[in-house]
Each structure stands twice: as C-alpha cells, then as structure tokens.
Amino acid sequence: MKILITGAKGQLGQSIKKIENEFQQFEIIYTDIEELNILSQKQSEAFIQNIRPDFLVNCAAYTAVDKAEEDIEFATKLNSDAPGILAGIMQKLGGRTIHISTDYVFDGKKGTEYFEDDETCPVSVYGKTKAAGEKRVLAFKGNIVIRTSWLYSEFGNNFFKTMFRLLKEKSDLKVVNDQIGTPTYATDLARNILSVVELSGKNSIEGGVYHFSSEGIVSWYDFTVEIAKRLHSNCKVHPIPTTEFPLPAQRPIYGVLSKNKIKNLGLFVPEWKESLDICFAIYK
C-alpha cells in the first residue's frame, strides 16, 4: 500500500517518519511545500496522479492560532480549501484521504468530553477554518478525519518545548489553569494514523470522524508542572486564569475528546504522563 504524506516537515510528519519502520508493509512518500504546493489544484493533480497513492494523509495545516485571526485568507486556503482539493483528487483516483483536525472545532462550553458526532462550534478563525476543512474532506465517501488535541513532540514548535526552555531560563512562570484538555504526543498519533490506514486496507474501518488524544484531563498549568518535575526545575510555576493572559484568539475552555470510537477498533490510547516520559527521555 502506498501512502502520501503532506506537511511532512511539521511535527506530525516528522513523527510518522520516525516510526515508519514499524509499518514496513507501506511505501510512504513524504512531501512538503518544496515538493508539492497543495494550494495549487493543477500541481496537486499532476503530482498525485503520478504517485497514485492508496491513501493521502494530510498533516499540513496553518497552526498559528493567534496569527490566523488576522491572516484569515491564508489560514482558509491552507486549512479549508487545500484539504478539499486533495480529497477531491484522491476520490477521482479511487484513493482515500485521512485529514488531521483539532479540538478547536469546539467552543469548550459543553463541560464534558466531546464525541465525534457532536456539532462543531468553533470560536476562533483557526477553529472555523479547520471545521470547514473537515466538511470538505468528509464530502467524499470513505474519507477519515482524526481530531487530536494539544499536540507536542521533540520536533518543531510546541508547548512542551517552549516550557522546557522557559523552565530552565526563568525563576517564575505564570501558566493558565482554566483551559482543560489532554496533551498528545505526536508519535502516539502517528502510530495510530498508520494503524488506521492498516485497518482501512483490511476494510475494518469506516469513513467518518475519529478522535485520538492521550488519556487524562489536565490544564496547561498541570502540564507545565509535570514538565518541571522531570526537569527538576527550581522555577516556580503559578496558576492564573485565562483573563490574566489574553490572546487574540479565543481557546476552548474544555477540549477533552472521547476516544471510545477509536478504542473500539482495538487501538491503544496511552496515558498522557507515560507518553510525556517517553518524549522527555528523547528530548532532554
């Protein structure tokens, strides 16, 4: 089975590359902007027709949440238009698309875990563009959307790496404690994406929306405290409300995702602290 990865230089794309040897039955082709401009329908059609993949895993996204509030046009093109273009091309070729999305498609006001069939209600440009991208991908039968949350890894820019640095540099640090979710190690997500492809090849999985994040319910403050423990940092971490740390884009206050649907496929969902231990051992 042949798999085409877009956005391969991002933290998820690099995480897939890291564990590809666990799935030697796949031929995986990695692309980023240098090889394939997914905003161009013409270039995308020519490239994908030449490769003729069985699956396309779209890891490309505009993820600068606050910047997106002003950069609406480009965020829309990358998060909404491009996924639709790719999914349409794959449909014509008889292939399937897996699109990666986010808990930011919800407003977080539910107060309990979100299920795959809950109505989306984004409160930021980022969330709205990602929700629109989901709809465009799912308009084609058999396609899959995997929503995740609070993604981090040893690659790229993410909350884990930022806190890792700041906890070494500062004596005091303020972190919001009223935004609740689940940190997700990108390697765990990568492994489950390829497992979903494997199941799809065996006709063991239907199209639609699936959720994957680690197990656990924590705040950004809790996450930071656990990083500090592993660093043996002397930095004092202070919990603050979101109102004391205003940002251009509104975040979901509660973005915990139900993983029951993906668990029913027999896929493993790790506890978030265990995955943090693995990432920390690699990155330290």
Side-chain angles (χ1 to χ4, degrees):
M1 190 179 293
K2 191 180 292 186
I3 304 170
L4 177 64
I5 308 291
T6 57
K9 287 188 176 179
Q11 62 172 331
L12 180 55
Q14 291 185 74
S15 297
I16 292 173
K17 179 75 172 176
K18 187 178 78 172
I19 55 100
E20 66 177 357
N21 288 338
E22 297 176 21
F23 297 84
Q24 294 190 10
Q25 70 271 39
F26 298 150
E27 178 186 353
I28 306 178
I29 299 99
Y30 298 89
T31 65
D32 213 291
I33 186 65
E34 294 85 359
E35 297 84 21
L36 173 61
N37 177 12
I38 62 173
L39 300 180
S40 167
Q41 172 130 10
K42 183 177 180 181
Q43 185 182 345
S44 296
E45 282 183 347
F47 190 94
I48 295 171
Q49 284 177 1
N50 183 54
I51 299 291
R52 301 193 73 85
D54 300 287
F55 270 88
L56 184 149
V57 179
N58 182 35
C59 302
Y62 188 109
T63 57
V65 176
D66 293 309
K67 189 178 177 184
E69 293 297 306
E70 295 183 354
D71 199 6
I72 299 173
E73 182 179 358
F74 187 49
T76 300
K77 286 181 178 179
L78 195 52
N79 290 345
S80 305
D81 299 343
I85 290 171
L86 296 172
I89 296 167
M90 288 296 292
Q91 180 82 359
K92 290 178 184 177
L93 295 175
R96 297 172 70 182
T97 300
I98 295 179
H99 178 62
I100 310 305
S101 193
T102 171
D103 61 313
Y104 278 54
V105 299
F106 300 114
D107 62 11
K109 295 178 182 178
K110 182 182 177 184
T112 57
E113 64 183 6
Y114 282 96
F115 298 97
E116 287 84 352
D117 59 357
D118 282 336
E119 186 175 352
T120 58
C121 43
V123 291
S124 64
V125 169
Y126 170 68
K128 290 173 183 176
T129 59
K130 291 296 288 184
E134 288 185 3
K135 290 180 180 178
R136 293 196 62 175
V137 170
L138 294 172
F140 302 99
K141 186 179 179 181
N143 286 343
I144 294 168
V145 167
I146 300 178
R147 294 187 188 127
T148 192
S149 67
W150 296 20
L151 202 63
Y152 73 93
S153 69
E154 58 271 31
F155 304 113
N157 297 314
N158 56 70
F159 184 86
F160 164 77
K161 288 177 69 175
T162 299
M163 292 302 107
F164 192 100
R165 174 177 56 82
L166 292 178
L167 287 164
K168 288 183 174 183
E169 295 175 355
K170 294 184 175 291
S171 57
D172 287 89
L173 197 58
K174 294 179 179 180
V175 184
V176 295
N177 70 337
D178 56 356
Q179 292 177 29
I180 308 300
T182 311
T184 304
Y185 185 32
T187 299
D188 294 331
L189 176 59
R191 189 171 285 116
N192 274 270
I193 290 169
L194 294 183
S195 296
V196 165
V197 173
E198 188 173 45
L199 289 172
S200 299
K202 298 174 182 176
N203 297 316
S204 303
I205 184 171
E206 297 179 350
V209 180
Y210 294 82
H211 288 169
F212 178 81
S213 67
S214 295
E215 294 282 22
I217 301 173
V218 299
S219 69
W220 291 113
Y221 166 78
D222 298 326
F223 190 16
T224 305
V225 168
E226 290 299 324
I227 298 169
K229 285 180 183 177
R230 285 157 179 76
L231 273 174
H232 304 290
S233 171
N234 293 320
C235 177
K236 294 180 180 179
V237 184
H238 305 279
I240 61 168
T242 299
T243 52
E244 287 189 26
F245 193 68
L247 292 168
Q250 188 177 340
R251 268 75 170 166
I253 292 298
Y254 194 95
V256 179
L257 303 173
S258 168
K259 276 79 67 174
N260 289 338
K261 190 175 175 181
I262 209 159
K263 286 179 187 175
N264 288 338
L265 298 175
L267 300 183
F268 177 62
V269 179
E271 201 274 334
W272 77 274
K273 288 184 183 179
E274 294 175 0
S275 293
L276 178 60
D277 286 338
I278 294 169
C279 182
F280 187 84
I282 294 170
Y283 187 65
K284 70 176 183 178

